Amino acid sequence: MTEPLFTIPLWADLLGVGLGGVQGAMFASGFQGQRRLDLLGVAIIGILIGMGGGLIRDLMLGLPPATLQSNWYLLTATGAAIIGMLLAGLLNRANGVIVGLDAIVIGMFGAFGTSKAIGLGVPPVPAVFIGVCAAVGGSILRDVIMGLPVAIMHVGSLYAVAAAAGSIVIVSAYALGLDLVIAGIVGIVVTAVIRVLAVIFDLSLPEQRRLYRRKVAAETGMIPIIKP
Amino acid sequence: MTEPLFTIPLWADLLGVGLGGVQGAMFASGFQGQRRLDLLGVAIIGILIGMGGGLIRDLMLGLPPATLQSNWYLLTATGAAIIGMLLAGLLNRANGVIVGLDAIVIGMFGAFGTSKAIGLGVPPVPAVFIGVCAAVGGSILRDVIMGLPVAIMHVGSLYAVAAAAGSIVIVSAYALGLDLVIAGIVGIVVTAVIRVLAVIFDLSLPEQRRLYRRKVAAETGMIPIIKP
Amino acid sequence: MTEPLFTIPLWADLLGVGLGGVQGAMFASGFQGQRRLDLLGVAIIGILIGMGGGLIRDLMLGLPPATLQSNWYLLTATGAAIIGMLLAGLLNRANGVIVGLDAIVIGMFGAFGTSKAIGLGVPPVPAVFIGVCAAVGGSILRDVIMGLPVAIMHVGSLYAVAAAAGSIVIVSAYALGLDLVIAGIVGIVVTAVIRVLAVIFDLSLPEQRRLYRRKVAAETGMIPIIKP
């Protein structure tokens, strides 16, 4: 394999891992009843959200996972998960913070996935697909391991749509000759804005949202934190 | 790694992806109640069934996934999923079509997995195992993501047996000097015929089938489409 | 990639696979009611527990899975699963044997994962992480595929803690100049002893243990075999 056209800088990668770890731990801290997790369980979910997207991305690219080539990723994810637990206690299920972090995190993971794929010469359609999988893969793993209905299949389609929109912007901008770093930043903004607007304007199919809420409420004894 | 002895032709690979996508979307369209999926959810399941087996196969072989090296796989899987949704609407849960497609798809995925493994010099026992995993892996991912009981663990053993029989035929025929392409075609036929006969003659343990049906019916509000 | 500093001997790897296969099949044989598995299902769980940890380890290291490079792994795992089924029938859910085997198996998988990572030049923090994932990954796959609550998330934290302790001992001993083989043996002992002591002294959060037992009992019609 030749030298990639583009390498994600370590600080940016760690920023994504850290924000993901905070968001994952805040989300996992909120569960009660049968889904309630102990401290280590919350930390595992934080690490999973922080590092899962990058792991899936690198497996799909056929590369050894970048997150396991240095000590920094795991230290960052673990530290971030601890911060997330403390914040969850302080802010008492701060819905807005979790949604905002989540929007930025899926934007970053999607943009990193797509950019890394393009940089390695992956064609545009699979590059978008890898970006979407990197963006939403961590949350699928989280739902499967916590025994929750996989949000993206039932109500969370706008997750995937937001991530796909950002990835398509990156691929298109790059094809038009834009610098990949600038294209990536634009992609992060596009994904995060679509995701936040979807939550603010409550964009999802009402019937499915109702089903999802009833299901999660029945199983966990609480209304889901993130408005789907 | 040296040049493989055998490469699956692109048209055959895309045919498997396309039939898998149609079958996956038809299957996913049939669910009601808590498992009901929106259009994007149905498309995701179609893509998963179309491409999941190949992804698992290449991860097990330590190769970058072939399905992500060209635009065609994702375009085929997505188009096939849309066709599957339309067909599901037209044919109103056409049981026979779904079962027939499923039999051909597991035959193709199993044969491609085993042939690719043999072509890369993998020994016969793991070559059969990779074929079985490629054949049934997509349906395991589907059940986990849809929150269904994993069919293959409870009643679908004949899935794995059918895939294993086809793979063993391929490995044996190749060891006896038969051309790998012809061996692969024979393997597809063996797997598909066993699978279809199992459905026609309703071959599975009655007690477990009853348990499975009751469980799926309780959770989804419908009797499972595919007779296990 | 340069020559690794250390290669796990085949006999040791196969011993881990075999003990894992016996333990997995004994565990899976014990389920009644909706989770009851047929013989092939029990064999699949045995193979999964025997080989899952090594597969996850090698995917994380970016290597083609060692368990699929030779016929011996699958033959050992399958034979071990058959022995496990016979033993489960003879010993009528021999709790102590299952717990003891489980402790040794997670010790071996953790030690092999960490040692192989160190031998390939992976830094210490991800080397510990890979060891923990190799140790507990098989049981996570088992729980997801059997539709059980993932034990490690709800009550089984001491699993991960035991595996992490053994892996940290290996990394530390190697950093202090100890031979990697001796360090690995010490790590196996540390993990296995912590795990067995945790079961004997019933070390886990009482509230969560109660929730887990009630949940599994409700879903499976039986009290979980392994005291969490």
Side-chain angles (χ1 to χ4, degrees):
Chain A
M1 198 170 281
T2 54
E3 188 63 21
L5 290 167
F6 169 69
T7 310
I8 301 160
L10 183 64
W11 66 264
D13 225 3
L14 291 179
L15 183 62
V17 168
L19 293 177
V22 170
Q23 199 273 345
M26 289 184 78
F27 178 88
S29 294
F31 280 87
Q32 304 292 335
Q34 281 187 340
R35 309 286 165 180
R36 190 170 160 204
L37 303 176
D38 61 15
L39 288 185
L40 191 58
V42 171
I44 292 173
I45 296 296
I47 293 170
L48 199 66
I49 295 288
M51 295 178 47
L55 269 170
I56 290 171
R57 172 196 69 200
D58 291 338
L59 285 178
M60 291 183 121
L61 290 168
L63 298 174
T67 50
L68 301 175
Q69 308 300 306
S70 122
N71 292 326
W72 287 110
Y73 290 90
L74 275 155
L75 295 175
T76 303
T78 309
I82 293 169
I83 293 172
M85 281 188 248
L86 297 175
L87 282 179
L90 283 177
L91 302 179
N92 196 18
R93 307 218 336 255
N95 212 354
V97 177
I98 295 180
V99 170
L101 274 180
D102 186 48
I104 295 168
V105 166
I106 63 169
M108 291 180 80
F109 288 170
F112 292 169
T114 304
S115 306
K116 188 165 185 177
I118 293 175
L120 288 163
V122 171
V125 178
V128 169
F129 183 71
I130 290 169
V132 173
C133 290
V136 304
S139 79
I140 293 177
L141 292 178
R142 176 199 65 203
D143 291 341
V144 167
I145 284 190
M146 288 184 68
L148 293 170
V150 175
I152 200 161
M153 292 308 298
H154 292 283
V155 288
S157 304
L158 281 168
Y159 255 46
V161 170
S167 293
I168 290 170
V169 165
I170 295 172
V171 166
S172 308
Y174 180 71
L176 295 172
L178 202 66
D179 182 76
L180 198 46
V181 175
I182 296 168
I185 293 167
V186 175
I188 294 173
V189 172
V190 167
T191 297
V193 167
I194 293 178
R195 176 70 195 135
V196 167
L197 288 178
V199 173
I200 292 175
F201 293 108
D202 213 5
L203 296 175
S204 66
L205 301 176
E207 183 206 3
Q208 302 216 329
R209 192 171 54 234
R210 209 166 51 235
L211 282 169
Y212 176 74
R213 280 196 180 136
R214 198 183 307 153
K215 183 156 198 299
V216 173
E219 290 187 2
T220 65
M222 60 175 281
I223 304 298
I225 297 172
I226 294 185
K227 286 196 222 176
Chain B
M1 199 172 280
T2 55
E3 189 63 20
L5 289 167
F6 168 70
T7 309
I8 301 160
L10 183 63
W11 67 264
D13 224 4
L14 291 179
L15 183 63
V17 168
L19 293 177
V22 170
Q23 199 273 346
M26 289 184 77
F27 178 89
S29 295
F31 281 86
Q32 304 292 333
Q34 282 187 340
R35 308 288 165 178
R36 191 171 158 203
L37 301 177
D38 61 16
L39 288 185
L40 190 58
V42 172
I44 291 173
I45 295 296
I47 294 170
L48 198 67
I49 294 290
M51 296 178 46
L55 269 171
I56 289 171
R57 173 196 69 202
D58 291 338
L59 285 179
M60 291 182 120
L61 290 168
L63 298 174
T67 52
L68 301 175
Q69 307 300 306
S70 122
N71 292 325
W72 288 110
Y73 291 90
L74 275 155
L75 295 174
T76 303
T78 309
I82 293 170
I83 293 171
M85 282 186 247
L86 296 174
L87 283 179
L90 284 176
L91 302 179
N92 197 19
R93 309 217 335 250
N95 213 353
V97 178
I98 294 181
V99 170
L101 274 180
D102 187 47
I104 296 168
V105 166
I106 63 168
M108 293 181 78
F109 288 170
F112 293 169
T114 303
S115 307
K116 188 165 184 176
I118 294 175
L120 289 163
V122 171
V125 178
V128 169
F129 183 72
I130 289 170
V132 174
C133 290
V136 305
S139 79
I140 293 177
L141 292 179
R142 177 199 65 202
D143 290 341
V144 168
I145 283 191
M146 289 183 68
L148 294 168
V150 176
I152 199 161
M153 292 310 299
H154 293 282
V155 287
S157 304
L158 281 169
Y159 255 46
V161 171
S167 293
I168 290 169
V169 166
I170 295 172
V171 166
S172 308
Y174 180 71
L176 296 172
L178 202 67
D179 181 75
L180 199 47
V181 175
I182 297 168
I185 293 168
V186 174
I188 294 173
V189 172
V190 167
T191 297
V193 167
I194 292 178
R195 175 74 193 129
V196 167
L197 289 178
V199 173
I200 292 175
F201 294 107
D202 213 6
L203 298 175
S204 67
L205 301 175
E207 182 205 6
Q208 302 216 327
R209 191 171 55 236
R210 210 166 50 235
L211 281 170
Y212 176 74
R213 280 197 180 133
R214 198 183 306 153
K215 183 155 200 296
V216 173
E219 289 185 3
T220 66
M222 60 174 283
I223 304 299
I225 298 173
I226 295 185
K227 284 196 224 175
Chain C
M1 198 171 284
T2 54
E3 190 63 21
L5 289 168
F6 169 70
T7 310
I8 302 161
L10 183 63
W11 66 263
D13 224 3
L14 291 179
L15 183 63
V17 167
L19 293 177
V22 171
Q23 198 274 344
M26 288 184 77
F27 178 89
S29 295
F31 281 88
Q32 304 292 334
Q34 283 187 342
R35 310 286 164 180
R36 190 171 160 204
L37 302 176
D38 61 15
L39 288 186
L40 191 58
V42 172
I44 292 174
I45 296 295
I47 294 170
L48 199 67
I49 294 289
M51 296 179 46
L55 269 170
I56 289 171
R57 172 197 70 200
D58 291 338
L59 285 178
M60 291 182 121
L61 290 169
L63 299 175
T67 50
L68 301 175
Q69 308 299 305
S70 124
N71 291 327
W72 287 110
Y73 290 90
L74 275 155
L75 295 175
T76 303
T78 309
I82 293 169
I83 293 170
M85 282 187 248
L86 297 174
L87 283 180
L90 284 177
L91 302 179
N92 196 18
R93 309 221 330 257
N95 213 355
V97 178
I98 295 181
V99 169
L101 274 179
D102 186 48
I104 294 168
V105 165
I106 62 168
M108 292 181 78
F109 288 171
F112 292 170
T114 303
S115 307
K116 187 164 184 178
I118 293 175
L120 288 163
V122 171
V125 178
V128 169
F129 183 71
I130 290 169
V132 174
C133 291
V136 303
S139 79
I140 293 178
L141 292 178
R142 177 198 66 202
D143 290 341
V144 167
I145 284 189
M146 289 184 69
L148 295 169
V150 176
I152 199 163
M153 292 308 299
H154 292 284
V155 287
S157 305
L158 281 169
Y159 256 45
V161 171
S167 293
I168 290 170
V169 165
I170 295 172
V171 167
S172 308
Y174 179 70
L176 294 173
L178 202 66
D179 181 75
L180 199 46
V181 175
I182 297 168
I185 293 167
V186 174
I188 294 173
V189 172
V190 167
T191 297
V193 167
I194 293 179
R195 176 73 194 132
V196 167
L197 288 179
V199 173
I200 292 174
F201 294 108
D202 212 9
L203 296 175
S204 66
L205 301 175
E207 183 205 5
Q208 302 215 328
R209 192 170 55 235
R210 210 166 50 234
L211 282 169
Y212 176 75
R213 281 194 180 140
R214 198 183 305 154
K215 184 155 199 297
V216 173
E219 290 185 2
T220 65
M222 61 175 281
I223 304 299
I225 298 171
I226 294 183
K227 285 197 224 174

